[in-house]
Amino acid sequence: MSVLSSVQIREANAHLAAVHRRVTELERRLEAAERTVREQAERLISKDRELQAAVRELGLRKDREIADLQTKLHDSEGIAQKLQNVIQEKDSVIAQLRHRNQLLDKITRSRPLLDNLLSYMAEAERLQSVHIPHLDTILPEDNELPLLSSTNGSMNISTNDRNFSVSEDDTEEQDQDDAIFGTTV
């Protein structure tokens, strides 16, 4: 075996000391890196927990908003249905009012004829007690109620007769006081 010289031993010791320093430095750096990685991992885990909590909160808020919107939608649908019912009722009332309007238009167009008829009826009522001679001898031909009945020589006009009519000749007497026979429509 060969004997190492003192220079070689010093060089070997210096080399070992340098390797030892290098290993110590690397261990220290490794430990710092591990510490940094642990701290980063802990921060990431903490951040992940915060994000998960935020996601859960967003999910809960979203669910609450969806529930609120569903409630509002349900309420709006109820209101819309009520409004549809109101519209249908109003349409029905409008249809009835249109029909009444048409009837009133027809009545207004027929009013002059009705006024004439009323004036003729009033004139007939005024003539109830007109005396006609020789009326006592007239007998009814059948069992129906006569248009004229005689009592002590006076003439009574029956308004119950179904055959009563107003002729065209009677319309000439429109000069009567129409204000007495006016109607309200």
Side-chain angles (χ1 to χ4, degrees):
M1 271 204 173
S2 87
V3 178
L4 293 174
S5 69
S6 64
V7 172
Q8 288 177 332
I9 292 175
R10 268 188 247 139
E11 285 178 1
N13 283 339
H15 181 65
L16 281 176
V19 168
H20 181 64
R21 279 192 307 270
R22 178 79 176 139
V23 167
T24 305
E25 176 65 26
L26 289 175
E27 284 176 350
R28 187 183 58 75
R29 288 170 102 188
L30 177 63
E31 190 177 309
E34 285 177 348
R35 197 173 334 125
T36 303
V37 168
R38 270 195 307 271
E39 288 172 358
Q40 287 177 348
E42 288 173 4
R43 281 195 300 262
L44 286 174
I45 289 171
S46 174
K47 189 70 169 176
D48 187 47
R49 286 181 187 147
E50 289 174 9
L51 290 174
Q52 285 178 356
V55 167
R56 276 193 304 275
E57 179 62 31
L58 283 174
L60 292 173
R61 192 178 322 152
K62 174 194 62 113
D63 292 342
R64 282 191 302 266
E65 286 181 20
I66 288 173
D68 288 343
L69 290 174
Q70 285 176 337
T71 303
K72 287 179 182 178
L73 177 64
H74 181 68
D75 292 344
S76 296
E77 287 173 348
I79 291 170
Q81 184 61 41
K82 287 178 185 177
L83 290 175
Q84 286 291 341
N85 292 339
V86 168
I87 288 171
Q88 288 176 351
E89 290 173 9
K90 299 288 184 183
D91 286 345
S92 174
V93 169
I94 288 171
Q96 290 174 0
L97 290 174
R98 282 186 179 147
H99 181 68
R100 286 182 186 173
N101 185 36
Q102 290 172 352
L103 288 176
L104 289 173
D105 284 345
K106 289 178 183 178
I107 289 171
T108 338
R109 285 192 300 265
S110 302
R111 183 175 175 173
L113 294 173
L114 293 173
D115 288 342
N116 288 339
L117 179 61
L118 288 173
S119 69
Y120 298 140
M121 290 174 70
E123 184 178 347
E125 286 178 11
R126 283 193 305 261
L127 296 176
Q128 279 183 354
S129 60
V130 173
H131 176 16
I132 298 177
H134 307 293
L135 189 60
D136 296 340
T137 59
I138 299 174
L139 296 175
E141 296 178 7
D142 52 13
N143 290 332
E144 291 183 11
L145 292 174
L147 178 61
L148 300 175
S149 63
S150 172
T151 307
N152 296 331
S154 66
M155 179 175 76
N156 292 326
I157 300 174
S158 171
T159 57
N160 295 333
D161 187 16
R162 286 185 230 157
N163 297 325
F164 178 79
S165 68
V166 177
S167 69
E168 293 289 328
D169 296 337
D170 293 337
T171 60
E172 295 174 2
E173 297 182 10
Q174 290 180 337
D175 296 334
Q176 298 273 335
D177 186 13
D178 288 337
I180 297 174
F181 306 109
T183 58
T184 56
V185 179

